[in-house]
Structures are given as structure tokens and as C-alpha cells.
Amino acid sequence: MSNTKVRKAIFPAAGFGTRFLPATKSIPKEMLALVDKPIIQYGVEEALAAGCDQIVIVTGRGKSAIEDYFDISYELECTLEKRGKTDLLALSRNVSNMVHLSYVRQKEAMGLGHAVLMARDLVGDEPFAVILPDDVIDARVPCLKQMVDIYNDVQSSIIATQVIEGPAISAYGVLAGSPDPGNPRLFAVSDLVEKPKPAEAPSKNAIIGRYILTPAIFDVLERTPLGTGGELQLTDGIKGLLATEKVYGYSFEGVRHDAGDKFGMLKATVEFALKRDDLGPQFRDYLKSLKL
Ligand code: UTP
């Protein structure tokens, strides 16, 4: 491996977002606003905070709003400047100045593993992060930063996990593994199953949308057959990686919101709005006034 630092983060954003229809008929799910920022921006900020300086977004048909969002908007900036709206101007500029971005297309939504494979040429022979933008994680130390710190130590693939109770586990990839003697949040993975029936789930440790992967995953994905739902599953690829490399699960510190789901987005909106200095006090009073 030529470079062992995690510099690149892949954002798969080519899915249909069916759980958020009808909005996602014409708005990419990744552009849905959580308070006032598209959910993908939370992920990009997390990647930057973890030391990644190259962002690769995997897009598809109908996703051009994502590219527009991260571009410089001359017309908007010019208008804001003329009107003396310097605070809003700074907000718009911050977005376009954030980072070096590249885009790659996934012609057909053939699964998360396939989306990751599309970024192969841009990633090359180095470890990289994968961030699923609809998992928004609120944490004191950004989740990916927690994982990069561990990666720097173990130099192996790491998957973020969260304990999910009851039948809801069937909506996730699930890990089996044994705890690491030195770190209670870390465990060595022995098996992975995508969307198991509740009775067949090997544990309660569900895979959440943050990964650090070694580049060996690309060759494995190339030869992984289509799995659950007729899609190339990243979970199946990581299971293949286990034949030659160690893989770790990591129970991150923080709260994860599934912002790709209507109820998850509602909860995230309430929690993020309450934490805002400009909105929180007013919003708290409003919530208290509701006769629930
Ligand atoms: P999801 O399964 O949450 O996204 O995939 P989805 O398929 O868009 O949403 P629903 O379930 O129909 O509502 C997680 C991430 O992986 C991307 C999605 O865009 C999302 O950000 N993805 C998924 C791809 O880029 N390509 C795919 O083929 C599948």
C-alpha cells in the first residue's frame, strides 16, 4: 500500500431515496435540509474534521443539485454583495471553499458495493473512508475522526456499529465478532450478514454508514456476486475481505440519526434545532407550548 493515511472519503449518493418520496422525485435525498444545511454537508464537514482532504461523491441521474450546491454561485454571491448581506455571502462562500471535490457516476443504482467500486480509479491504492450521507452523526469527537484515530493504530478496515434492539435489526447489515482486549468499543469481526431475519441475526451490532476500508476491497468487490435485493452489497464485499485481512467493528460514541427516513429526519430536526443558539430558545418555547 503506497499511502497509509486516510485522505479520501467517498460519499455514495446515487440511490433513489424511496423512503422519502414524493420529495425525492426531484430533490436528491442527500440535499434534503436538516434545519438549514443539506444532509450531505454534515457528512462532508465530518470528513474534513477527520483529516480527509479529498471528497469523492458518487452521483447518478437527477443528482445535479449536489454538484451545483458545492459550486461557486456567482449570481447569488453578486446579488448578496450588492445588497450588503455579508453574513449570507460568507455562508455561501464557505460551502464552495470547503474542499476538493470529485464526482463519479453510477449509471444504475446497483447497490452500495457497486457505488463504492465506481470510485476505484479516484481512490487508487490507499485506504479510504465511506460516509453514507443519510446517517447524520452527532458526536463530541466526529465519528469518522474517532475511526481514523483507531485506523492509525490498527491499519485495518473498520466499520462503525450501533446496537439495535428487536426486529428492526433486519433493516441493517449485522456483524459477529469478539471484543478487543484493549478497547471495549472495538471488536474483531468474524462474520457479516446483510439484512438478516431477526432470528438469524448473529448479534445486535448493526452496521452504520461510516467505514474505513483498505483498497483490497476493490478486487474483492469485483468478484462478489449480487446479493440481497439483486444488488452488489458492500457488506458481502467486506465479508470477502475477511478471508485475507482483519476487519474491526467499532461502536462509536455519539448519536446517529437516520435522516433518509421521515421519522428519523423529524427527530434529527428537533434535536439539531434545539442545539442552535439562534433558534434553540425560541423553538424550545414553541415546543413547550404545544398541547400534546
Ligand atoms: P440507502 O439504501 O439508504 O439509499 O443507501 P437509497 O436506496 O437511496 O434509499 P431508500 O432506501 O430507497 O430510501 C445508502 C446510501 O447509498 C447510496 C444512497 O444514495 C445512500 O446515500 N447508494 C445506494 C448508491 O449510491 N448507489 C446504490 O446503488 C445504492
Side-chain angles (χ1 to χ4, degrees):
M1 224 187 291
S2 51
N3 194 320
T4 56
K5 229 174 136 289
V6 183
R7 303 183 305 151
K8 300 181 179 175
I10 302 180
F11 285 71
F16 290 121
T18 54
R19 286 171 298 154
F20 233 113
L21 280 168
T24 43
K25 251 182 99 182
S26 66
I27 302 169
K29 170 171 76 173
E30 299 74 17
M31 289 303 295
L32 294 171
L34 172 51
V35 186
D36 55 3
K37 280 194 289 193
I39 56 176
I40 193 168
Q41 189 176 332
Y42 291 88
V44 169
E45 287 173 4
E46 184 180 325
L48 296 180
C52 295
D53 57 6
Q54 294 181 49
I55 304 291
V56 177
I57 303 183
V58 183
T59 66
R61 277 177 65 80
K63 299 280 184 168
S64 53
I66 301 176
E67 291 163 55
D68 291 345
Y69 178 73
F70 288 107
D71 276 351
I72 292 171
S73 174
Y74 288 107
E75 301 87 339
L76 173 67
E77 291 189 7
C78 203
T79 309
L80 292 173
E81 204 153 20
K82 271 193 210 142
R83 293 187 186 162
K85 306 259 186 204
T86 45
D87 48 344
L88 296 179
L89 186 63
L91 276 182
S92 170
R93 284 208 175 132
N94 279 347
V95 172
S96 35
N97 288 341
M98 268 171 107
V99 70
H100 179 79
L101 287 151
S102 317
Y103 298 92
V104 62
R105 303 277 286 198
Q106 185 188 22
K107 287 188 200 159
E108 204 183 332
M110 287 173 64
L112 185 55
H114 184 256
V116 169
L117 201 46
M118 295 300 100
R120 179 174 196 162
D121 289 347
L122 288 172
V123 170
D125 188 26
E126 55 182 279
F128 61 98
V130 177
I131 290 192
L132 304 194
D134 44 355
D135 274 339
V136 177
I137 298 179
D138 190 10
R140 193 179 48 83
V141 177
C143 179
L144 191 63
K145 168 88 173 76
Q146 297 175 38
M147 295 170 72
V148 165
D149 288 346
I150 292 171
Y151 177 84
N152 290 339
D153 190 26
V154 299
Q155 299 280 309
S156 300
S157 296
I158 306 171
I159 310 169
T161 67
Q162 182 187 358
V163 169
I164 299 285
E165 301 286 348
I169 194 83
S170 295
Y172 295 84
V174 183
L175 299 182
S178 46
D180 183 87
N183 182 343
R185 293 189 169 272
L186 203 61
F187 41 96
V189 176
S190 56
D191 196 12
L192 303 92
V193 193
E194 183 62 26
K195 300 190 172 63
K197 293 194 178 102
E200 288 162 17
S203 77
K204 292 179 179 177
N205 294 318
I207 301 175
I208 300 305
R210 301 289 182 275
Y211 307 77
I212 292 176
L213 298 169
T214 63
I217 191 71
F218 292 123
D219 276 346
V220 180
L221 281 171
E222 296 269 14
R223 46 172 204 267
T224 301
L226 301 183
T228 309
E231 296 189 338
L232 178 51
Q233 299 290 350
L234 184 58
T235 306
D236 294 341
I238 299 173
K239 187 173 169 150
L241 195 60
L242 273 180
T244 52
E245 291 189 1
K246 253 187 151 166
V247 176
Y248 288 94
Y250 174 65
S251 165
F252 62 91
E253 274 186 86
V255 178
R256 165 249 182 188
H257 297 283
D258 182 2
D261 165 82
K262 291 170 196 177
F263 187 52
M265 178 63 118
L266 284 171
K267 286 193 285 186
T269 303
V270 171
E271 293 200 16
F272 277 65
L274 284 172
K275 284 188 182 182
R276 286 269 294 248
D277 292 340
D278 55 344
L279 294 166
Q282 200 184 346
F283 189 47
R284 187 178 309 275
D285 287 346
Y286 166 71
L287 290 177
K288 279 187 182 157
S289 77
L290 293 176
K291 309 245 173 309
L292 298 174

